[in-house]
Amino acid sequence: KQSLEATLAASRSLKIQVQVLEIQSVNEFDGAYSASKKNNAEAINVLASPILFAYRQDLVNLSATHRLPGMYENKEFVEIGGLMSYGANLDELYRRSATYVDKILKGAKPSDLPVEQPTKFELVINLKTAKQIGLKIPPNVLARADRVIK
């Protein structure tokens, strides 16, 4: 919900029209992509969700089929053919959580530990996918990427 609210707020300030499509089941994926294309969508933004993550290959395939550039919150989408991702570095989050486990196993009360926000974010771009859908990524965007898949 927070990701959606942040996306909508950013779209308003950038004067970008956003169409929100809520998907309740896997059977609705193709219809959502078809509706996006029918409504002249120029790109899609798949927000983080355990269900969507589990079906990431299906979503990436639909983006390719409908020739819709896709933006994701997890790099795993890009590693299997999605266009780009920007989000918290999950490997770093897991490492940080290990320090919490260590403290708790040594007797710290979980409620006494501070809440941490992610501090390391990464931009991953798949140039192969960009080429397949006929999209040229500007050099200044490529220069900012933490990782470029060729």
Side-chain angles (χ1 to χ4, degrees):
K1 182 167 168 127
Q2 288 177 330
S3 291
L4 178 58
E5 289 171 3
T7 299
L8 293 173
S11 69
R12 284 190 293 274
S13 69
L14 295 169
K15 296 182 175 53
I16 296 173
Q17 184 178 356
V18 172
Q19 175 187 8
V20 177
L21 298 172
E22 293 186 34
I23 297 173
Q24 303 298 321
S25 77
V26 176
N27 298 334
E28 297 176 12
F29 287 173
D30 192 49
Y33 274 81
S34 295
S36 295
K37 201 64 173 171
K38 182 179 174 186
N39 291 322
N40 299 314
E42 295 178 17
I44 60 152
N45 182 3
V46 177
L47 299 178
S49 155
I51 300 227
L52 297 179
F53 186 83
Y55 290 94
R56 62 190 175 277
Q57 188 66 66
D58 295 315
L59 294 169
V60 166
N61 292 346
L62 283 166
S63 290
T65 299
H66 292 278
R67 299 184 56 83
L68 281 170
M71 178 72 172
Y72 309 92
E73 289 187 44
N74 304 101
K75 68 181 177 185
E76 289 81 4
F77 283 84
V78 182
E79 292 170 343
I80 61 169
L83 178 63
M84 61 176 37
S85 67
Y86 182 75
N89 180 313
L90 296 181
D91 296 333
E92 181 65 23
L93 290 179
Y94 296 143
R95 278 191 283 281
R96 291 293 311 139
S97 67
T99 63
Y100 274 66
V101 171
D102 180 58
K103 290 176 183 181
I104 293 166
L105 291 175
K106 291 179 178 173
K109 289 175 46 181
S111 60
D112 291 340
L113 298 174
V115 174
E116 291 187 11
Q117 295 292 324
T119 57
K120 186 174 181 184
F121 293 82
E122 60 186 345
L123 172 63
V124 181
I125 300 171
N126 188 322
L127 282 181
K128 181 179 174 186
T129 300
K131 184 177 181 180
Q132 287 174 340
I133 62 173
L135 185 66
K136 182 165 173 48
I137 307 291
N140 63 334
V141 174
L142 287 174
R144 292 181 188 163
D146 296 288
R147 185 168 153 217
V148 176
I149 298 171
K150 296 180 180 180

Short mmCIF file of all heavy atoms in Angstrom, two decimals, residues 4-43:
data_model
loop_
_atom_site.label_atom_id
_atom_site.label_comp_id
_atom_site.label_asym_id
_atom_site.label_seq_id
_atom_site.Cartn_x
_atom_site.Cartn_y
_atom_site.Cartn_z
N LEU A 4 2.30 1.89 -3.46
CA LEU A 4 1.29 2.43 -4.37
C LEU A 4 1.05 3.90 -4.09
O LEU A 4 1.00 4.72 -5.01
CB LEU A 4 -0.01 1.64 -4.27
CG LEU A 4 -1.17 2.15 -5.13
CD1 LEU A 4 -0.79 2.17 -6.61
CD2 LEU A 4 -2.42 1.30 -4.91
N GLU A 5 0.90 4.26 -2.83
CA GLU A 5 0.68 5.66 -2.47
C GLU A 5 1.85 6.54 -2.91
O GLU A 5 1.66 7.63 -3.44
CB GLU A 5 0.44 5.79 -0.96
CG GLU A 5 -0.90 5.22 -0.53
CD GLU A 5 -1.05 5.14 0.98
OE1 GLU A 5 -0.14 5.56 1.72
OE2 GLU A 5 -2.11 4.63 1.42
N ALA A 6 3.08 6.05 -2.71
CA ALA A 6 4.26 6.80 -3.14
C ALA A 6 4.31 6.93 -4.66
O ALA A 6 4.66 8.00 -5.18
CB ALA A 6 5.53 6.13 -2.61
N THR A 7 3.94 5.88 -5.35
CA THR A 7 3.92 5.91 -6.82
C THR A 7 2.90 6.91 -7.32
O THR A 7 3.18 7.71 -8.22
CB THR A 7 3.60 4.50 -7.37
OG1 THR A 7 4.63 3.61 -6.95
CG2 THR A 7 3.52 4.51 -8.89
N LEU A 8 1.72 6.91 -6.73
CA LEU A 8 0.68 7.85 -7.14
C LEU A 8 1.07 9.29 -6.84
O LEU A 8 0.84 10.19 -7.66
CB LEU A 8 -0.66 7.49 -6.48
CG LEU A 8 -1.27 6.16 -6.93
CD1 LEU A 8 -2.50 5.81 -6.10
CD2 LEU A 8 -1.61 6.20 -8.41
N ALA A 9 1.69 9.52 -5.70
CA ALA A 9 2.13 10.88 -5.36
C ALA A 9 3.19 11.36 -6.34
O ALA A 9 3.14 12.50 -6.82
CB ALA A 9 2.66 10.91 -3.93
N ALA A 10 4.14 10.49 -6.66
CA ALA A 10 5.19 10.86 -7.61
C ALA A 10 4.61 11.11 -8.99
O ALA A 10 5.00 12.06 -9.68
CB ALA A 10 6.25 9.76 -7.68
N SER A 11 3.64 10.30 -9.40
CA SER A 11 3.05 10.47 -10.73
C SER A 11 2.31 11.80 -10.83
O SER A 11 2.36 12.46 -11.87
CB SER A 11 2.12 9.31 -11.07
OG SER A 11 0.95 9.34 -10.27
N ARG A 12 1.66 12.20 -9.76
CA ARG A 12 0.97 13.50 -9.77
C ARG A 12 1.96 14.65 -9.93
O ARG A 12 1.74 15.55 -10.72
CB ARG A 12 0.13 13.68 -8.50
CG ARG A 12 -1.16 12.87 -8.51
CD ARG A 12 -2.07 13.24 -7.36
NE ARG A 12 -1.53 12.88 -6.06
CZ ARG A 12 -1.67 11.69 -5.48
NH1 ARG A 12 -2.34 10.74 -6.11
NH2 ARG A 12 -1.14 11.44 -4.30
N SER A 13 3.06 14.58 -9.19
CA SER A 13 4.03 15.67 -9.27
C SER A 13 4.73 15.71 -10.63
O SER A 13 5.15 16.77 -11.08
CB SER A 13 5.06 15.57 -8.14
OG SER A 13 5.89 14.45 -8.32
N LEU A 14 4.84 14.57 -11.29
CA LEU A 14 5.47 14.51 -12.62
C LEU A 14 4.45 14.63 -13.75
O LEU A 14 4.82 14.56 -14.92
CB LEU A 14 6.24 13.19 -12.76
CG LEU A 14 7.43 13.01 -11.83
CD1 LEU A 14 7.93 11.57 -11.87
CD2 LEU A 14 8.54 13.98 -12.19
N LYS A 15 3.17 14.75 -13.37
CA LYS A 15 2.08 14.84 -14.35
C LYS A 15 2.04 13.63 -15.29
O LYS A 15 1.87 13.74 -16.49
CB LYS A 15 2.16 16.15 -15.13
CG LYS A 15 1.95 17.37 -14.24
CD LYS A 15 1.99 18.64 -15.03
CE LYS A 15 1.66 19.87 -14.23
NZ LYS A 15 2.34 20.15 -13.05
N ILE A 16 2.21 12.45 -14.68
CA ILE A 16 2.14 11.19 -15.39
C ILE A 16 0.83 10.52 -15.01
O ILE A 16 0.50 10.40 -13.83
CB ILE A 16 3.33 10.27 -15.03
CG1 ILE A 16 4.64 10.88 -15.49
CG2 ILE A 16 3.14 8.88 -15.63
CD1 ILE A 16 5.86 10.13 -15.01
N GLN A 17 0.08 10.08 -16.00
CA GLN A 17 -1.18 9.41 -15.74
C GLN A 17 -0.90 7.94 -15.38
O GLN A 17 -0.18 7.25 -16.10
CB GLN A 17 -2.08 9.48 -16.96
CG GLN A 17 -3.44 8.88 -16.72
CD GLN A 17 -4.34 9.00 -17.94
OE1 GLN A 17 -3.98 9.59 -18.94
NE2 GLN A 17 -5.52 8.43 -17.85
N VAL A 18 -1.48 7.49 -14.29
CA VAL A 18 -1.29 6.12 -13.82
C VAL A 18 -2.63 5.41 -13.82
O VAL A 18 -3.64 5.95 -13.36
CB VAL A 18 -0.68 6.09 -12.40
CG1 VAL A 18 -0.66 4.69 -11.84
CG2 VAL A 18 0.70 6.69 -12.39
N GLN A 19 -2.62 4.21 -14.33
CA GLN A 19 -3.80 3.36 -14.28
C GLN A 19 -3.45 2.21 -13.33
O GLN A 19 -2.51 1.46 -13.58
CB GLN A 19 -4.13 2.81 -15.67
CG GLN A 19 -5.26 1.84 -15.67
CD GLN A 19 -5.47 1.17 -17.02
OE1 GLN A 19 -4.68 1.32 -17.93
NE2 GLN A 19 -6.54 0.42 -17.13
N VAL A 20 -4.17 2.10 -12.25
CA VAL A 20 -3.91 1.04 -11.26
C VAL A 20 -4.77 -0.17 -11.61
O VAL A 20 -5.99 -0.06 -11.75
CB VAL A 20 -4.23 1.53 -9.83
CG1 VAL A 20 -4.03 0.39 -8.83
CG2 VAL A 20 -3.38 2.73 -9.48
N LEU A 21 -4.12 -1.30 -11.77
CA LEU A 21 -4.82 -2.56 -12.04
C LEU A 21 -4.53 -3.52 -10.89
O LEU A 21 -3.40 -3.95 -10.72
CB LEU A 21 -4.36 -3.16 -13.36
CG LEU A 21 -4.63 -2.32 -14.61
CD1 LEU A 21 -3.96 -2.93 -15.82
CD2 LEU A 21 -6.13 -2.20 -14.84
N GLU A 22 -5.53 -3.80 -10.11
CA GLU A 22 -5.36 -4.75 -9.01
C GLU A 22 -5.63 -6.13 -9.54
O GLU A 22 -6.64 -6.38 -10.19
CB GLU A 22 -6.29 -4.40 -7.86
CG GLU A 22 -5.93 -3.10 -7.19
CD GLU A 22 -6.77 -2.84 -5.95
OE1 GLU A 22 -7.12 -3.82 -5.25
OE2 GLU A 22 -7.05 -1.68 -5.69
N ILE A 23 -4.73 -7.02 -9.24
CA ILE A 23 -4.84 -8.40 -9.70
C ILE A 23 -5.13 -9.28 -8.50
O ILE A 23 -4.39 -9.28 -7.52
CB ILE A 23 -3.54 -8.84 -10.40
CG1 ILE A 23 -3.32 -7.99 -11.64
CG2 ILE A 23 -3.58 -10.32 -10.76
CD1 ILE A 23 -1.99 -8.21 -12.31
N GLN A 24 -6.23 -10.01 -8.57
CA GLN A 24 -6.63 -10.88 -7.47
C GLN A 24 -6.17 -12.32 -7.65
O GLN A 24 -6.10 -13.07 -6.69
CB GLN A 24 -8.15 -10.84 -7.31
CG GLN A 24 -8.70 -9.45 -7.09
CD GLN A 24 -8.19 -8.81 -5.81
OE1 GLN A 24 -8.05 -9.48 -4.79
NE2 GLN A 24 -7.91 -7.53 -5.85
N SER A 25 -5.89 -12.71 -8.91
CA SER A 25 -5.44 -14.08 -9.15
C SER A 25 -4.54 -14.12 -10.37
O SER A 25 -4.54 -13.20 -11.20
CB SER A 25 -6.62 -15.03 -9.33
OG SER A 25 -7.17 -14.89 -10.63
N VAL A 26 -3.81 -15.19 -10.49
CA VAL A 26 -2.90 -15.40 -11.62
C VAL A 26 -3.66 -15.37 -12.94
O VAL A 26 -3.12 -14.90 -13.95
CB VAL A 26 -2.16 -16.75 -11.44
CG1 VAL A 26 -1.27 -17.05 -12.63
CG2 VAL A 26 -1.36 -16.75 -10.15
N ASN A 27 -4.90 -15.80 -12.94
CA ASN A 27 -5.70 -15.84 -14.16
C ASN A 27 -5.97 -14.44 -14.72
O ASN A 27 -6.41 -14.32 -15.86
CB ASN A 27 -7.03 -16.55 -13.90
CG ASN A 27 -6.83 -17.99 -13.49
OD1 ASN A 27 -5.82 -18.62 -13.83
ND2 ASN A 27 -7.76 -18.53 -12.72
N GLU A 28 -5.74 -13.40 -13.94
CA GLU A 28 -6.02 -12.04 -14.38
C GLU A 28 -4.81 -11.35 -15.01
O GLU A 28 -4.93 -10.22 -15.48
CB GLU A 28 -6.53 -11.21 -13.19
CG GLU A 28 -7.84 -11.72 -12.63
CD GLU A 28 -8.28 -10.96 -11.40
OE1 GLU A 28 -7.69 -9.90 -11.09
OE2 GLU A 28 -9.21 -11.43 -10.72
N PHE A 29 -3.65 -11.99 -15.00
CA PHE A 29 -2.44 -11.36 -15.54
C PHE A 29 -2.61 -10.91 -16.98
O PHE A 29 -2.37 -9.75 -17.31
CB PHE A 29 -1.23 -12.30 -15.46
CG PHE A 29 -0.67 -12.52 -14.08
CD1 PHE A 29 0.32 -13.47 -13.90
CD2 PHE A 29 -1.09 -11.80 -12.99
CE1 PHE A 29 0.87 -13.69 -12.64
CE2 PHE A 29 -0.56 -12.00 -11.73
CZ PHE A 29 0.43 -12.96 -11.56
N ASP A 30 -2.99 -11.84 -17.84
CA ASP A 30 -3.07 -11.52 -19.27
C ASP A 30 -4.09 -10.42 -19.52
O ASP A 30 -3.85 -9.50 -20.30
CB ASP A 30 -3.40 -12.77 -20.09
CG ASP A 30 -3.20 -12.51 -21.58
OD1 ASP A 30 -2.15 -11.98 -21.95
OD2 ASP A 30 -4.12 -12.82 -22.35
N GLY A 31 -5.23 -10.48 -18.86
CA GLY A 31 -6.26 -9.45 -19.01
C GLY A 31 -5.77 -8.08 -18.57
O GLY A 31 -6.08 -7.06 -19.20
N ALA A 32 -4.98 -8.05 -17.50
CA ALA A 32 -4.45 -6.77 -17.02
C ALA A 32 -3.47 -6.18 -18.03
O ALA A 32 -3.51 -4.98 -18.32
CB ALA A 32 -3.77 -6.96 -15.67
N TYR A 33 -2.62 -7.01 -18.60
CA TYR A 33 -1.68 -6.52 -19.61
C TYR A 33 -2.41 -6.07 -20.87
O TYR A 33 -2.09 -5.04 -21.46
CB TYR A 33 -0.63 -7.58 -19.94
CG TYR A 33 0.55 -7.56 -19.00
CD1 TYR A 33 0.48 -8.19 -17.76
CD2 TYR A 33 1.72 -6.92 -19.34
CE1 TYR A 33 1.54 -8.17 -16.89
CE2 TYR A 33 2.80 -6.91 -18.48
CZ TYR A 33 2.70 -7.53 -17.25
OH TYR A 33 3.76 -7.50 -16.38
N SER A 34 -3.41 -6.84 -21.28
CA SER A 34 -4.20 -6.47 -22.45
C SER A 34 -4.92 -5.15 -22.22
O SER A 34 -4.96 -4.29 -23.10
CB SER A 34 -5.22 -7.56 -22.79
OG SER A 34 -4.55 -8.74 -23.17
N ALA A 35 -5.49 -4.97 -21.02
CA ALA A 35 -6.17 -3.71 -20.69
C ALA A 35 -5.19 -2.54 -20.70
O ALA A 35 -5.51 -1.45 -21.17
CB ALA A 35 -6.85 -3.82 -19.33
N SER A 36 -4.00 -2.77 -20.20
CA SER A 36 -2.98 -1.72 -20.19
C SER A 36 -2.65 -1.29 -21.61
O SER A 36 -2.59 -0.09 -21.92
CB SER A 36 -1.70 -2.21 -19.51
OG SER A 36 -1.93 -2.47 -18.16
N LYS A 37 -2.44 -2.25 -22.46
CA LYS A 37 -2.10 -1.96 -23.86
C LYS A 37 -3.27 -1.26 -24.56
O LYS A 37 -3.08 -0.29 -25.29
CB LYS A 37 -1.73 -3.27 -24.57
CG LYS A 37 -0.91 -3.07 -25.79
CD LYS A 37 0.45 -2.47 -25.48
CE LYS A 37 1.26 -2.46 -26.76
NZ LYS A 37 2.49 -1.73 -26.65
N LYS A 38 -4.48 -1.75 -24.30
CA LYS A 38 -5.69 -1.16 -24.91
C LYS A 38 -5.85 0.30 -24.48
O LYS A 38 -6.31 1.13 -25.26
CB LYS A 38 -6.92 -1.97 -24.50
CG LYS A 38 -8.21 -1.49 -25.09
CD LYS A 38 -9.36 -2.36 -24.63
CE LYS A 38 -10.69 -1.79 -25.11
NZ LYS A 38 -11.81 -2.55 -24.57
N ASN A 39 -5.46 0.61 -23.26
CA ASN A 39 -5.55 1.98 -22.74
C ASN A 39 -4.30 2.80 -23.02
O ASN A 39 -4.05 3.80 -22.36
CB ASN A 39 -5.86 1.95 -21.24
CG ASN A 39 -7.25 1.44 -20.97
OD1 ASN A 39 -8.19 1.74 -21.70
ND2 ASN A 39 -7.41 0.65 -19.92
N ASN A 40 -3.51 2.33 -23.98
CA ASN A 40 -2.31 3.05 -24.44
C ASN A 40 -1.23 3.22 -23.38
O ASN A 40 -0.52 4.23 -23.37
CB ASN A 40 -2.69 4.41 -25.05
CG ASN A 40 -3.59 4.24 -26.25
OD1 ASN A 40 -3.34 3.41 -27.11
ND2 ASN A 40 -4.67 5.01 -26.29
N ALA A 41 -1.11 2.27 -22.49
CA ALA A 41 -0.03 2.33 -21.50
C ALA A 41 1.31 2.30 -22.24
O ALA A 41 1.48 1.61 -23.24
CB ALA A 41 -0.12 1.15 -20.55
N GLU A 42 2.25 3.07 -21.73
CA GLU A 42 3.58 3.12 -22.32
C GLU A 42 4.57 2.29 -21.53
O GLU A 42 5.67 2.03 -22.00
CB GLU A 42 4.04 4.57 -22.42
CG GLU A 42 3.19 5.39 -23.38
CD GLU A 42 3.63 6.84 -23.45
OE1 GLU A 42 4.75 7.16 -23.03
OE2 GLU A 42 2.83 7.65 -23.93
N ALA A 43 4.19 1.90 -20.31
CA ALA A 43 5.06 1.10 -19.45
C ALA A 43 4.22 0.53 -18.31
O ALA A 43 3.08 0.95 -18.10
CB ALA A 43 6.19 1.95 -18.89
#
